[in-house]
Amino acid sequence: MDADRPIYRVQSDRAQWKLTRNDELLQHFETKEDAVEEGRRLARAAHPSQLVVHDPDGTIEVESIY
């Protein structure tokens, strides 16, 4: 994996969803869909980058590389 490539993650955080970049909290969202949309937008703008979306239990649902 490219060490310079930012990794955006969407993860459940209590009753909300959080978006992080390289483990730095960027924002909380009410819905997973909103968090994924923003994560995808940021990842596409920062290519090469990666978006990792997690299920509520923490398992990886999908990974995308831009």
Side-chain angles (χ1 to χ4, degrees):
M1 181 183 308
D2 185 350
D4 295 328
R5 178 173 57 197
I7 300 174
Y8 295 88
R9 290 186 184 275
V10 172
Q11 297 169 291
S12 177
D13 189 21
R14 299 181 187 163
Q16 295 184 324
W17 290 87
K18 68 180 178 179
L19 174 62
T20 60
R21 179 183 55 228
N22 297 338
D23 298 322
E24 174 189 349
L25 178 64
L26 297 178
Q27 192 173 349
H28 277 101
F29 296 86
E30 293 295 320
T31 68
K32 182 178 182 178
E33 292 77 17
D34 289 343
V36 170
E37 183 179 322
E38 180 66 3
R40 188 173 290 128
R41 185 187 72 76
L42 291 172
R44 284 181 175 156
H47 63 82
S49 64
Q50 183 176 0
L51 175 64
V52 181
V53 179
H54 294 263
D55 282 330
D57 68 3
T59 60
I60 294 174
E61 178 183 343
V62 72
E63 289 182 86
S64 301
I65 296 176
Y66 299 96

